[in-house]
Amino acid sequence: MSSHLDYEINKELGECYLFMGELDKAEDYYIKASASSGEQADPYMGLATIAMQRGDMAGALTHYSKAATIQESDKALAGLGLVHMNQGEHAQAFDLFSRALALNPANAVALGCIVREGYEQQRVEEIIPLLRSSLDATHDSNTRITLAGCLLFVGETEEARRHLSEILDADPGNANARELYDHIAA
């Protein structure tokens, strides 16, 4: 059997066991996959996910770093950001989430985390362009509401109102948009 086929089988089995929540079996297969092809990021992403689920931040950091070294992806960078956020290294987490969103503006994990970090670090103005890029990529109403909230926070009331009006025109029953819009009107 070729090493590429070994890699594919072990990676797929790792993913299946991870999906089923059988972390020990998933870990075994991801380790086998990484041994048969050290140049693929996926097994390290799987091992990082397992480490995160176990609360092993050092292990997660090691595996996400290895995955990002092999192939810098939005998922690997977002994972690294999560580890740094959990370790209280907020500036580093913010930078990693920004890099992840530069690669993929639709990465929901990075977007949600950078919004949280932006408020905590008083860097809301810096996340507004990232939210705009994400909105361009996804056209998601929740992203638009978040953008409107950030715009309101930094004093851009008219632009926030425009975004909320657009949501309410398309979906008059959107409670979150209505609440924020009513807050502006008050």
Side-chain angles (χ1 to χ4, degrees):
M1 199 182 306
S2 76
S3 66
H4 180 71
L5 187 55
D6 286 345
Y7 165 76
E8 288 296 330
I9 290 169
N10 287 317
K11 179 183 73 101
E12 292 296 324
L13 286 168
E15 289 171 359
C16 288
Y17 282 115
L18 180 60
F19 180 75
M20 294 186 299
E22 295 189 36
L23 302 183
D24 291 340
K25 287 182 180 178
E27 183 177 42
D28 289 343
Y29 283 107
Y30 281 130
I31 289 169
K32 289 176 186 175
S34 66
S36 59
S37 178
E39 297 306 309
Q40 299 291 329
D42 289 343
Y44 297 103
M45 291 294 294
L47 290 167
T49 301
I50 292 166
M52 287 289 284
Q53 289 185 13
R54 290 178 173 160
D56 174 12
M57 292 300 126
L61 183 62
T62 298
H63 295 304
Y64 280 131
S65 295
K66 178 72 173 172
T69 299
I70 293 170
Q71 177 187 2
E72 186 170 283
S73 68
D74 63 300
K75 290 179 182 177
L77 293 171
L80 284 167
L82 282 170
V83 172
H84 287 288
M85 189 170 82
N86 282 318
Q87 293 179 330
E89 299 163 347
H90 298 288
Q92 194 164 5
F94 187 97
D95 293 340
L96 287 160
F97 294 134
S98 294
R99 288 173 51 200
L101 289 166
L103 293 174
N104 178 9
N107 185 309
V109 171
L111 191 64
C113 290
I114 203 163
V115 169
R116 178 178 166 190
E117 290 292 327
Y119 277 102
E120 285 184 12
Q121 297 178 48
Q122 286 116 36
R123 297 173 72 176
V124 175
E125 286 186 18
E126 292 177 56
I127 62 175
I128 290 172
L130 299 169
L131 283 163
R132 285 186 177 125
S133 293
S134 180
L135 184 60
D136 289 344
T138 64
H139 306 289
D140 177 64
S141 63
N142 289 326
T143 301
R144 189 176 297 281
I145 293 168
T146 303
L147 174 59
C150 291
L151 289 165
L152 188 59
F153 184 82
V154 299
E156 298 290 333
T157 307
E158 285 309 309
E159 187 179 350
R161 186 187 329 262
R162 281 193 305 274
H163 284 287
L164 294 168
S165 293
E166 188 172 323
I167 293 167
L168 291 170
D169 287 346
D171 180 12
N174 189 310
N176 292 329
R178 172 62 56 200
E179 182 180 336
L180 196 53
Y181 190 87
D182 290 346
H183 176 75
I184 292 173

